Amino acid sequence: MRDEAEHKGGSRAGDPGARRGRDAEGVRIEVTRDGHVATVEFERPGVLNAIAPDDLPRLAEALREAGDGSRVVVVRGAGGAFSAGDDLNATADLSPGEWRSVVEGFHELTRVALALEVPVIAAIDGVCVGGAFELACSCDLRIASTRSRLGCPEVGIGLVVSNASTVLLPRLCGSGYASKLMLTGRLVPAEEAYVHGLLDAVAPPDELEVRARWLAEEIAARAPLAVRATKRLLVAGLGEAVEQAMARETAALVELCETADMREGFAAFREKRQASFSGS
């Protein structure tokens, strides 16, 4: 396991300011602290940091831990990817009840990100799709590398978005562009996402970490009580709308998981071919 502090100048694992991540089936989730900034980094090599069902509560716990005692939280993937979202190989054969549990796990990530008292910055490098893209949309700010591609490709496998994206995504980029992303499943480059308001900044890959750190430190230098109050005001009123959107999205996902189209979408994904949907 890498010691983040050795490479990035933060607190070393074992010091009071850092915590080693716990590994499970090759998954690393690590919380480190450097001054007033906490970083949550996750890595699942070989699958572009795809998030398996068992990882969801661990990631939510890490976000909560990072928010405790910090002024800003940065969330990032390691290894040249933010995340490929839901691990489709782990969820392809789930029952409707099991699907409901997975979706609720993703929804909890959004609840935690919105409920943290401190701002959360998503530092995106590489692929950022599906549930991971929707988590990023739950963060307060997003900065991405120029090689990033973002989007919600769920309709391409017979599913719909989650994480209250039907409310949060239009809030970021307007209803028209949000509808295009959700209805086409198109992945877009970082520059396009920036133009439409999905991203707050774009940086070369080798500058992403520094730029995210600058932004975090700029916020951390401001009056912390005022920053927390500002975040509360920014998300005020979202609670009921977010919960209602999540309930609708969960119901739609559970209904769709029993369709032939979803089975075809997952089969096409596994077989690396174009899906042929029948509308059934």
Side-chain angles (χ1 to χ4, degrees):
M1 184 185 300
R2 294 182 307 180
D3 184 344
E4 180 182 7
E6 292 176 356
H7 298 282
K8 303 181 177 70
S11 303
R12 293 183 180 274
D15 287 351
R19 177 176 71 91
R20 280 262 188 208
R22 294 167 298 168
D23 288 308
E25 298 181 355
V27 179
R28 177 176 66 85
I29 301 175
E30 185 172 71
V31 178
T32 56
R33 299 180 187 274
D34 189 351
H36 294 298
V37 178
T39 299
V40 177
E41 183 175 82
F42 53 94
E43 182 177 26
R44 193 170 176 221
V47 291
L48 297 174
N49 299 335
I51 305 170
D54 289 345
D55 301 333
L56 292 166
R58 294 179 56 215
L59 188 52
E61 176 191 352
L63 285 170
R64 292 189 189 94
E65 179 182 335
D68 185 15
S70 68
R71 294 186 182 182
V72 184
V73 172
V74 176
V75 181
R76 68 184 183 211
F82 186 74
S83 172
D86 177 31
D87 181 358
L88 299 183
N89 291 314
T91 55
D93 300 317
L94 297 183
S95 69
E98 290 169 327
W99 258 108
R100 183 180 295 276
S101 177
V102 170
V103 175
E104 180 56 33
F106 273 100
H107 286 173
E108 186 63 16
L109 294 179
T110 286
R111 291 189 184 99
V112 172
L114 292 174
L116 284 186
E117 293 186 335
V118 301
V120 183
I121 300 170
I124 300 164
D125 186 26
V127 65
C128 176
V129 301
F133 171 70
E134 291 146 18
L135 167 61
C137 291
S138 308
C139 296
D140 301 285
L141 296 167
R142 287 152 296 283
I143 179 171
S145 71
T146 51
R147 66 184 176 187
S148 297
R149 291 179 63 80
L150 309 92
C152 35
E154 284 89 343
V155 292
I157 55 170
L159 293 176
V160 296
V161 297
S162 62
N163 296 65
S165 294
T166 48
V167 167
L168 297 178
L169 190 53
R171 184 171 178 258
L172 292 176
C173 62
S175 60
Y177 191 67
S179 295
K180 182 164 74 171
L181 290 179
M182 288 186 278
L183 292 172
T184 65
R186 179 185 303 173
L187 303 187
V188 299
E191 292 86 349
E192 179 178 330
Y194 173 73
V195 168
H196 288 278
L198 279 174
L199 297 174
D200 302 288
V202 177
D206 60 351
E207 295 180 14
L208 176 65
E209 183 179 331
V210 171
R211 293 279 295 276
R213 180 73 195 184
W214 285 350
L215 180 58
E217 289 180 343
E218 181 180 7
I219 295 170
R222 303 299 184 252
L225 296 181
V227 170
R228 293 183 181 205
T230 299
K231 172 160 181 176
R232 285 197 305 272
L233 293 169
L234 287 169
V235 301
L238 278 179
E240 184 175 351
V242 163
E243 290 299 326
Q244 290 175 349
M246 287 179 176
R248 291 191 296 266
E249 291 163 1
T250 298
L253 281 158
V254 170
E255 180 180 351
L256 288 168
C257 78
E258 297 188 281
T259 64
D261 275 353
M262 193 216 77
R263 291 191 292 274
E264 165 62 12
F266 274 68
F269 170 81
R270 289 194 298 266
E271 297 163 14
K272 303 184 186 304
R273 61 173 174 81
Q274 184 70 36
S276 177
F277 297 116
S278 63
S280 61

